[in-house]
Amino acid sequence: MTAHHLVARRFISDHAKSLIDNAVKQNALVVFMKGTPDEPMCGFSRAVIQILQMHGVDEITGVDCLQDPEVREGIKEYTDWPTIPQVYVKGEFIGGCDVMVQMHQSGELHELLVKEKLLDEETNPEPEK
């Protein structure tokens, strides 16, 4: 691989990588999103927050990607995932809105949240209407 290839593939700045690393490592659950958990600025971010809230997750750390263009683009490079929102649990990338919806519907999300001690086993999501 030539030096040109190395430079061409590295889009994430040191600033963005440091911020993302810190957010992922210091929070049990973090959502890189458009807006904040209290005020999501897109439907996909809102859906992810609502799913987590339905499961009884009280503490959701959100990183507003709209506030920092480097983070907005850097998070996509960090995970090689093209869209926002992105959800991390205990340092592990879980997925975006589509993955969260699938995990919610299959019951996998509840299992993951219990396994990672973000929920008590007795906590059940509200039934879908």
Side-chain angles (χ1 to χ4, degrees):
M1 192 178 288
T2 66
H4 173 72
H5 285 110
L6 291 174
V7 172
R9 292 185 62 193
R10 187 180 175 276
F11 298 110
I12 189 168
S13 71
D14 291 340
H15 161 77
K17 184 170 184 337
S18 174
L19 195 149
I20 294 165
D21 276 340
N22 288 338
V24 167
K25 291 174 183 170
Q26 293 176 4
N27 297 286
L29 186 147
V30 63
V31 181
F32 289 85
M33 59 186 295
K34 294 178 181 175
T36 65
D38 291 333
E39 291 186 41
M41 300 298 285
C42 85
F44 297 111
S45 293
R46 181 178 315 281
V48 165
I49 297 302
Q50 287 175 336
I51 288 168
L52 291 168
Q53 289 171 338
M54 272 194 288
H55 282 270
V57 177
D58 294 327
E59 289 193 34
I60 302 170
T61 299
V63 175
D64 184 356
C65 294
L66 296 177
Q67 298 299 314
D68 189 336
E70 286 185 43
V71 172
R72 184 176 183 172
E73 293 308 312
I75 191 65
K76 297 172 189 177
E77 178 77 10
Y78 189 82
T79 54
D80 198 22
W81 189 265
T83 58
I84 297 168
Q86 295 187 14
V87 179
Y88 291 78
V89 172
K90 300 276 178 99
E92 182 181 344
F93 175 59
I94 303 303
C97 184
D98 53 345
V99 172
M100 293 294 287
V101 168
Q102 290 170 354
M103 289 180 73
H104 165 67
Q105 291 172 339
S106 72
E108 288 178 84
L109 182 58
H110 180 75
E111 291 171 13
L112 173 69
L113 296 171
V114 169
K115 179 182 136 209
E116 296 299 342
K117 298 184 179 15
L118 296 173
L119 286 182
D120 292 331
E121 212 165 322
E122 296 82 40
T123 308
N124 287 315
E126 295 175 17
E128 292 192 30
K129 296 177 174 130

